Tab-separated table of all heavy atoms in Angstrom:
chain	number	residue	atom	x	y	z
A	192	PHE	N	80.686	149.606	54.208
A	192	PHE	CA	80.732	149.781	55.651
A	192	PHE	C	81.142	151.225	55.954
A	192	PHE	O	82.328	151.536	56.119
A	192	PHE	CB	81.772	148.825	56.281
A	192	PHE	CG	81.554	147.394	55.956
A	192	PHE	CD1	82.256	146.761	54.912
A	192	PHE	CD2	80.657	146.619	56.673
A	192	PHE	CE1	82.063	145.432	54.612
A	192	PHE	CE2	80.440	145.288	56.377
A	192	PHE	CZ	81.146	144.700	55.343
A	193	PRO	N	80.185	152.173	56.000
A	193	PRO	CA	80.501	153.593	56.150
A	193	PRO	C	81.265	153.947	57.446
A	193	PRO	O	81.934	154.970	57.485
A	193	PRO	CB	79.139	154.274	56.145
A	193	PRO	CG	78.171	153.277	55.684
A	193	PRO	CD	78.767	151.931	55.884
A	194	GLU	N	81.170	153.089	58.449
A	194	GLU	CA	81.870	153.388	59.702
A	194	GLU	C	83.386	153.201	59.570
A	194	GLU	O	84.138	153.637	60.444
A	194	GLU	CB	81.332	152.511	60.847
A	194	GLU	CG	81.637	151.041	60.719
A	194	GLU	CD	80.643	150.253	59.859
A	194	GLU	OE1	79.738	150.841	59.236
A	194	GLU	OE2	80.781	149.023	59.818
A	195	ILE	N	83.832	152.585	58.500
A	195	ILE	CA	85.278	152.374	58.269
A	195	ILE	C	85.809	153.608	57.544
A	195	ILE	O	85.697	153.721	56.340
A	195	ILE	CB	85.524	151.112	57.423
A	195	ILE	CG1	84.853	149.888	58.041
A	195	ILE	CG2	87.016	150.859	57.250
A	195	ILE	CD1	85.311	149.558	59.442
A	196	ASN	N	86.377	154.523	58.301
A	196	ASN	CA	86.883	155.765	57.701
A	196	ASN	C	88.406	155.876	57.757
A	196	ASN	O	88.967	156.835	57.268
A	196	ASN	CB	86.229	156.984	58.403
A	196	ASN	CG	86.439	156.956	59.895
A	196	ASN	OD1	87.115	156.076	60.433
A	196	ASN	ND2	85.844	157.894	60.581
A	197	ARG	N	89.055	154.875	58.352
A	197	ARG	CA	90.516	154.830	58.392
A	197	ARG	C	90.946	153.398	58.078
A	197	ARG	O	90.269	152.448	58.452
A	197	ARG	CB	91.033	155.218	59.794
A	197	ARG	CG	90.774	156.648	60.156
A	197	ARG	CD	91.508	157.093	61.436
A	197	ARG	NE	91.767	156.042	62.396
A	197	ARG	CZ	91.044	155.810	63.487
A	197	ARG	NH1	90.001	156.551	63.748
A	197	ARG	NH2	91.361	154.873	64.319
A	198	PRO	N	92.081	153.234	57.423
A	198	PRO	CA	92.518	151.864	57.055
A	198	PRO	C	92.739	150.968	58.279
A	198	PRO	O	92.579	149.752	58.175
A	198	PRO	CB	93.780	152.079	56.259
A	198	PRO	CG	94.125	153.495	56.317
A	198	PRO	CD	92.980	154.224	56.891
A	199	GLU	N	93.101	151.545	59.413
A	199	GLU	CA	93.367	150.749	60.603
A	199	GLU	C	92.105	150.043	61.106
A	199	GLU	O	92.187	149.108	61.892
A	199	GLU	CB	93.936	151.622	61.728
A	199	GLU	CG	95.250	152.281	61.405
A	199	GLU	CD	95.078	153.563	60.618
A	199	GLU	OE1	94.013	154.213	60.718
A	199	GLU	OE2	96.013	153.920	59.882
A	200	LYS	N	90.947	150.518	60.683
A	200	LYS	CA	89.683	149.924	61.142
A	200	LYS	C	89.255	148.732	60.304
A	200	LYS	O	88.269	148.081	60.612
A	200	LYS	CB	88.555	150.989	61.103
A	200	LYS	CG	88.690	152.045	62.159
A	200	LYS	CD	87.468	152.932	62.139
A	200	LYS	CE	87.414	153.865	63.319
A	200	LYS	NZ	86.170	154.632	63.342
A	201	ILE	N	89.977	148.445	59.234
A	201	ILE	CA	89.633	147.307	58.395
A	201	ILE	C	89.886	146.026	59.154
A	201	ILE	O	90.959	145.827	59.718
A	201	ILE	CB	90.449	147.328	57.074
A	201	ILE	CG1	90.064	148.559	56.241
A	201	ILE	CG2	90.223	146.052	56.273
A	201	ILE	CD1	90.899	148.747	54.983
A	202	LYS	N	88.850	145.170	59.192
A	202	LYS	CA	88.939	143.915	59.918
A	202	LYS	C	88.883	142.751	58.931
A	202	LYS	O	88.634	142.921	57.750
A	202	LYS	CB	87.771	143.806	60.901
A	202	LYS	CG	87.803	144.847	61.983
A	202	LYS	CD	86.652	144.667	62.928
A	202	LYS	CE	86.706	145.744	64.011
A	202	LYS	NZ	85.578	145.624	64.918
A	203	LEU	N	89.108	141.565	59.469
A	203	LEU	CA	89.083	140.356	58.672
A	203	LEU	C	87.751	140.168	57.962
A	203	LEU	O	87.701	139.778	56.795
A	203	LEU	CB	89.419	139.136	59.551
A	203	LEU	CG	89.438	137.777	58.864
A	203	LEU	CD1	90.445	137.734	57.746
A	203	LEU	CD2	89.729	136.701	59.895
A	204	LYS	N	86.661	140.495	58.639
A	204	LYS	CA	85.347	140.329	58.016
A	204	LYS	C	85.172	141.205	56.796
A	204	LYS	O	84.486	140.832	55.856
A	204	LYS	CB	84.222	140.577	59.023
A	204	LYS	CG	84.118	142.013	59.506
A	204	LYS	CD	82.964	142.177	60.482
A	204	LYS	CE	82.838	143.600	60.934
A	204	LYS	NZ	81.728	143.769	61.881
A	205	HIS	N	85.813	142.369	56.780
A	205	HIS	CA	85.738	143.240	55.619
A	205	HIS	C	86.509	142.657	54.429
A	205	HIS	O	86.043	142.720	53.283
A	205	HIS	CB	86.268	144.643	55.959
A	205	HIS	CG	85.551	145.271	57.115
A	205	HIS	ND1	86.234	145.709	58.236
A	205	HIS	CD2	84.236	145.493	57.338
A	205	HIS	CE1	85.355	146.191	59.101
A	205	HIS	NE2	84.140	146.067	58.587
A	206	ALA	N	87.658	142.070	54.714
A	206	ALA	CA	88.442	141.429	53.653
A	206	ALA	C	87.695	140.214	53.102
A	206	ALA	O	87.692	139.960	51.901
A	206	ALA	CB	89.818	141.034	54.181
A	207	LYS	N	87.033	139.470	54.000
A	207	LYS	CA	86.244	138.322	53.543
A	207	LYS	C	85.092	138.781	52.668
A	207	LYS	O	84.769	138.140	51.667
A	207	LYS	CB	85.685	137.555	54.757
A	207	LYS	CG	86.718	136.698	55.427
A	207	LYS	CD	86.075	135.903	56.552
A	207	LYS	CE	87.067	135.002	57.235
A	207	LYS	NZ	86.480	134.203	58.319
A	208	TRP	N	84.461	139.898	53.026
A	208	TRP	CA	83.377	140.441	52.209
A	208	TRP	C	83.888	140.820	50.822
A	208	TRP	O	83.213	140.583	49.824
A	208	TRP	CB	82.745	141.666	52.893
A	208	TRP	CG	81.727	142.333	52.029
A	208	TRP	CD1	80.440	141.981	51.829
A	208	TRP	CD2	81.976	143.471	51.180
A	208	TRP	NE1	79.852	142.828	50.939
A	208	TRP	CE2	80.765	143.772	50.514
A	208	TRP	CE3	83.086	144.265	50.937
A	208	TRP	CZ2	80.640	144.807	49.607
A	208	TRP	CZ3	82.952	145.313	50.024
A	208	TRP	CH2	81.745	145.558	49.374
A	209	LEU	N	85.083	141.429	50.761
A	209	LEU	CA	85.664	141.799	49.463
A	209	LEU	C	85.791	140.581	48.564
A	209	LEU	O	85.433	140.634	47.397
A	209	LEU	CB	87.045	142.419	49.653
A	209	LEU	CG	87.117	143.888	49.990
A	209	LEU	CD1	88.541	144.283	50.319
A	209	LEU	CD2	86.590	144.732	48.857
A	210	ILE	N	86.292	139.500	49.121
A	210	ILE	CA	86.535	138.307	48.307
A	210	ILE	C	85.233	137.613	47.936
A	210	ILE	O	85.004	137.253	46.781
A	210	ILE	CB	87.464	137.330	49.055
A	210	ILE	CG1	88.874	137.960	49.166
A	210	ILE	CG2	87.541	135.993	48.348
A	210	ILE	CD1	89.818	137.190	50.057
A	211	SER	N	84.352	137.463	48.900
A	211	SER	CA	83.168	136.652	48.650
A	211	SER	C	82.050	137.387	47.906
A	211	SER	O	81.286	136.790	47.159
A	211	SER	CB	82.616	136.079	49.960
A	211	SER	OG	82.210	137.126	50.817
A	212	HIS	N	81.948	138.707	48.123
A	212	HIS	CA	80.839	139.443	47.510
A	212	HIS	C	81.289	140.424	46.427
A	212	HIS	O	80.792	140.413	45.312
A	212	HIS	CB	80.032	140.175	48.576
A	212	HIS	CG	79.321	139.236	49.500
A	212	HIS	ND1	78.247	138.493	49.133
A	212	HIS	CD2	79.598	138.897	50.774
A	212	HIS	CE1	77.846	137.763	50.146
A	212	HIS	NE2	78.652	137.982	51.164
A	213	TRP	N	82.216	141.312	46.786
A	213	TRP	CA	82.589	142.389	45.877
A	213	TRP	C	83.247	141.854	44.603
A	213	TRP	O	82.866	142.243	43.502
A	213	TRP	CB	83.495	143.396	46.592
A	213	TRP	CG	83.777	144.618	45.779
A	213	TRP	CD1	82.949	145.667	45.572
A	213	TRP	CD2	84.984	144.904	45.079
A	213	TRP	NE1	83.554	146.587	44.784
A	213	TRP	CE2	84.812	146.158	44.467
A	213	TRP	CE3	86.187	144.237	44.887
A	213	TRP	CZ2	85.807	146.750	43.691
A	213	TRP	CZ3	87.170	144.833	44.137
A	213	TRP	CH2	86.983	146.065	43.543
A	214	LEU	N	84.241	140.964	44.778
A	214	LEU	CA	84.904	140.417	43.595
A	214	LEU	C	83.942	139.580	42.759
A	214	LEU	O	84.025	139.567	41.528
A	214	LEU	CB	86.118	139.596	43.995
A	214	LEU	CG	87.375	140.390	44.337
A	214	LEU	CD1	88.478	139.451	44.839
A	214	LEU	CD2	87.876	141.161	43.138
A	215	GLU	N	83.042	138.862	43.412
A	215	GLU	CA	82.044	138.073	42.665
A	215	GLU	C	81.089	138.968	41.912
A	215	GLU	O	80.704	138.678	40.790
A	215	GLU	CB	81.295	137.137	43.620
A	215	GLU	CG	82.137	136.071	44.276
A	215	GLU	CD	82.782	135.145	43.262
A	215	GLU	OE1	82.114	134.782	42.258
A	215	GLU	OE2	83.930	134.760	43.467
A	216	GLU	N	80.677	140.057	42.558
A	216	GLU	CA	79.765	141.004	41.922
A	216	GLU	C	80.387	141.651	40.704
A	216	GLU	O	79.717	141.875	39.691
A	216	GLU	CB	79.359	142.080	42.949
A	216	GLU	CG	78.455	143.139	42.428
A	216	GLU	CD	78.218	144.185	43.500
A	216	GLU	OE1	77.673	143.846	44.555
A	216	GLU	OE2	78.591	145.364	43.269
A	217	LYS	N	81.656	141.954	40.776
A	217	LYS	CA	82.365	142.581	39.661
A	217	LYS	C	82.551	141.636	38.481
A	217	LYS	O	82.728	142.072	37.364
A	217	LYS	CB	83.734	143.131	40.101
A	217	LYS	CG	83.666	144.273	41.084
A	217	LYS	CD	83.049	145.466	40.439
A	217	LYS	CE	83.017	146.632	41.396
A	217	LYS	NZ	82.406	147.808	40.833
A	218	ASN	N	82.546	140.336	38.776
A	218	ASN	CA	82.648	139.324	37.722
A	218	ASN	C	83.905	139.499	36.873
A	218	ASN	O	83.848	139.459	35.646
A	218	ASN	CB	81.382	139.322	36.861
A	218	ASN	CG	81.198	138.001	36.151
A	218	ASN	OD1	81.787	137.005	36.534
A	218	ASN	ND2	80.378	138.019	35.127
A	219	TYR	N	85.027	139.720	37.537
A	219	TYR	CA	86.308	139.879	36.834
A	219	TYR	C	86.778	138.548	36.301
A	219	TYR	O	86.447	137.484	36.827
A	219	TYR	CB	87.376	140.414	37.772
A	219	TYR	CG	87.203	141.867	38.152
A	219	TYR	CD1	87.201	142.251	39.496
A	219	TYR	CD2	87.073	142.846	37.192
A	219	TYR	CE1	87.079	143.581	39.849
A	219	TYR	CE2	86.943	144.187	37.540
A	219	TYR	CZ	86.947	144.547	38.864
A	219	TYR	OH	86.830	145.863	39.210
A	220	LYS	N	87.616	138.598	35.260
A	220	LYS	CA	88.261	137.401	34.776
A	220	LYS	C	89.248	136.912	35.813
A	220	LYS	O	89.624	137.637	36.727
A	220	LYS	CB	88.964	137.682	33.445
A	220	LYS	CG	88.009	137.966	32.323
A	220	LYS	CD	88.758	138.141	31.024
A	220	LYS	CE	87.775	138.391	29.892
A	220	LYS	NZ	88.443	138.572	28.615
A	221	THR	N	89.699	135.686	35.647
A	221	THR	CA	90.577	135.063	36.637
A	221	THR	C	91.856	135.862	36.869
A	221	THR	O	92.274	136.030	38.004
A	221	THR	CB	90.924	133.621	36.215
A	221	THR	OG1	89.698	132.933	35.977
A	221	THR	CG2	91.710	132.910	37.279
A	222	THR	N	92.481	136.330	35.824
A	222	THR	CA	93.757	137.053	35.980
A	222	THR	C	93.533	138.375	36.720
A	222	THR	O	94.331	138.734	37.577
A	222	THR	CB	94.420	137.331	34.616
A	222	THR	OG1	93.475	137.971	33.766
A	222	THR	CG2	94.895	136.037	33.974
A	223	THR	N	92.474	139.085	36.408
A	223	THR	CA	92.173	140.348	37.100
A	223	THR	C	91.840	140.079	38.557
A	223	THR	O	92.280	140.811	39.458
A	223	THR	CB	91.017	141.084	36.407
A	223	THR	OG1	91.330	141.246	35.030
A	223	THR	CG2	90.776	142.435	37.037
A	224	ARG	N	91.083	139.046	38.804
A	224	ARG	CA	90.728	138.657	40.184
A	224	ARG	C	92.009	138.348	40.973
A	224	ARG	O	92.151	138.793	42.110
A	224	ARG	CB	89.795	137.460	40.152
A	224	ARG	CG	89.379	136.974	41.499
A	224	ARG	CD	88.499	135.742	41.367
A	224	ARG	NE	88.304	135.072	42.627
A	224	ARG	CZ	87.375	135.399	43.511
A	224	ARG	NH1	86.535	136.389	43.254
A	224	ARG	NH2	87.269	134.754	44.651
Side-chain angles (χ1 to χ4, degrees):
F192 305 97
E194 68 275 6
I195 307 300
N196 54 5
R197 293 191 332 261
E199 298 83 26
K200 289 186 171 185
I201 295 175
K202 296 181 180 178
L203 179 59
K204 67 179 181 180
H205 303 124
K207 284 183 178 181
W208 173 82
L209 277 172
I210 293 172
S211 63
H212 295 287
W213 187 77
L214 280 175
E215 294 300 321
E216 178 184 298
K217 293 295 183 181
N218 202 18
Y219 288 128
K220 291 184 179 180
T221 305
T222 53
T223 305
R224 179 182 168 86

